[in-house]
C-alpha cells in the first residue's frame, strides 16, 4: 500500500480493519500512526475508528468537519485517512485559553514537547506543524501568531478549523482515547508529506460602471 498519501475510505469495520492490517504489515514502512478527517454526519464512527486503531497498536489523531472535499465535490460520507510510517509526533490539547498570550504559549510548549519526543524517537525531519482547531475558539489567529513567535520560526504552521456548520459546540477533535471539543490537535508532518495554502487572486475580466 502507499503511505503518506491520503485515501478516502468508507467507515466500515471490515474495510478499516483490512486497511490497517495491510498498512501495519507493509515491509518498507509499516503504519504506526493515522491522521483521520471525518465529516460531521459520520462523527458517530469515531469510537469505532479509535477501537480499531487501539487494537492495531496504531496512534490516531484527527478532526470532524462539516463536509469533506473530494475532487470538486463536498461529501458527507467516508473519511480521509493518512497512514504515517512513524508514531505521530503530535498532541491533543483538550482545552486552550482564549487569551492569546496564555493560549499561544501553551500551544508552543506542546509543539516543543512533540519536537523533543520526535528527536528522541527517530531521525525523521519534520518542519511543518499541522493544527486543527475547534472552530468555536476565539482569536485563533492571535493564538497562532503568539505560538509562532515563541517557536522562533522553527516550524512552518498550517491549520484548519474543525466543527459543525450549525456553529453549535460539538466534540470535533480526537486521538486514540479522547473525543472532545474546545481545544486543538497538533501534528508534526514529516517532510515527505507536503502541504500548503495557495492564494490565487481573482482575475477581473470585465469592469462595469455603476451609477
Amino acid at each position: 500500500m502507499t503511505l503518506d498519501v491520503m485515501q478516502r475510505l468508507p467507515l466500515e469495520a471490515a474495510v478499516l480493519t483490512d486497511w490497517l492490517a495491510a498498512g501495519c504489515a507493509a515491509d518498507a514502512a509499516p503504519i504506526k500512526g493515522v491522521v483521520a478527517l471525518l465529516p460531521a454526519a459520520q462523527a458517530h464512527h469515531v469510537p469505532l475508528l479509535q477501537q480499531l486503531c487501539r487494537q492495531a497498536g496504531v496512534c490516531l489523531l484527527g478532526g470532524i468537519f462539516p463536509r469533506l472535499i473530494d475532487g470538486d465535490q463536498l461529501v458527507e460520507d467516508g473519511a480521509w485517512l493518512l497512514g504515517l510510517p512513524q508514531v505521530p509526533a503530535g498532541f491533543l490539547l483538550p482545552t486552550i485559553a482564549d487569551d492569546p498570550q496564555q493560549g499561544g504559549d501553551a500551544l508552543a510548549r506542546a509543539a516543543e514537547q512533540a519536537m523533543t519526543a520526535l528527536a528522541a524517537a527517530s531521525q525523521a525531519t519534520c518542519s511543518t506543524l499541522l493544527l486543527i482547531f475547534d472552530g468555536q475558539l476565539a482569536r485563533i489567529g492571535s493564538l497562532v501568531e503568539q505560538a509562532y513567535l515563541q517557536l522562533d520560526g522553527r516550524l512552518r504552521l498550517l491549520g484548519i478549523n474543525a466543527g459543525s456548520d450549525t456553529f453549535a459546540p460539538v466534540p470535533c477533535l480526537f486521538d486514540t482515547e479522547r473525543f472532545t471539543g474546545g481545544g486543538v490537535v497538533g501534528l508534526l508532518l514529516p517532510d515527505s508529506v507536503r502541504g500548503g495554502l495557495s492564494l490565487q487572486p481573482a482575475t477581473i475580466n470585465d469592469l462595469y460602471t455603476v451609477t
Side-chain angles (χ1 to χ4, degrees), residues 5-125:
V5 175
M6 295 202 84
Q7 302 178 57
R8 181 167 161 246
L9 296 177
L11 287 163
E12 300 173 2
V15 174
L16 295 174
T17 298
D18 289 347
W19 182 78
L20 286 167
C24 291
D27 292 332
I31 282 181
K32 295 183 180 178
V34 171
V35 178
L37 310 180
L38 277 67
Q42 304 298 317
H44 58 285
H45 286 297
V46 168
L48 170 64
L49 185 58
Q50 291 174 316
Q51 177 186 353
L52 294 176
C53 285
R54 287 195 299 267
Q55 291 174 350
V58 169
C59 294
L60 173 67
L61 286 172
I64 302 291
F65 303 89
R67 294 171 185 82
L68 302 181
I69 299 174
D70 191 352
D72 59 355
Q73 296 182 327
L74 295 174
V75 298
E76 297 183 347
D77 62 305
W80 281 111
L81 302 176
L82 173 65
L84 297 175
Q86 70 277 325
V87 174
F91 54 86
L92 168 57
L93 294 180
T95 59
I96 189 166
D98 287 337
D99 177 74
Q101 182 77 41
Q102 295 180 14
D105 289 351
L107 183 55
R109 285 195 300 272
E112 292 273 11
Q113 291 170 1
M115 287 190 289
T116 300
L118 176 69
S122 74
Q123 299 297 317
T125 302

Side-chain angles (χ1 to χ4, degrees), residues 2-6 82-86 190-194:
T2 302
L3 294 176
D4 291 354
V5 175
M6 295 202 84
L82 173 65
L84 297 175
Q86 70 277 325
D191 288 348
S192 58
V193 179
R194 300 297 180 185

Side-chain angles (χ1 to χ4, degrees), residues 115-194:
M115 287 190 289
T116 300
L118 176 69
S122 74
Q123 299 297 317
T125 302
C126 296
S127 56
T128 300
L129 178 64
L130 172 66
L131 297 168
I132 305 176
F133 286 95
D134 183 337
Q136 293 289 311
L137 289 173
R139 306 177 72 180
I140 291 175
S142 298
L143 293 174
V144 171
E145 181 178 10
Q146 177 64 22
Y148 184 79
L149 291 174
Q150 288 295 318
L151 292 168
D152 198 27
R154 285 172 292 158
L155 289 174
R156 180 181 183 219
L157 304 183
L158 299 177
I160 190 170
N161 288 350
S164 167
D165 57 5
T166 65
F167 299 102
V170 294
C172 57
L173 305 171
F174 55 87
D175 60 12
T176 316
E177 301 290 342
R178 297 170 292 178
F179 185 23
T180 186
V184 58
V185 163
L187 176 67
L188 289 171
L189 295 178
D191 288 348
S192 58
V193 179
R194 300 297 180 185

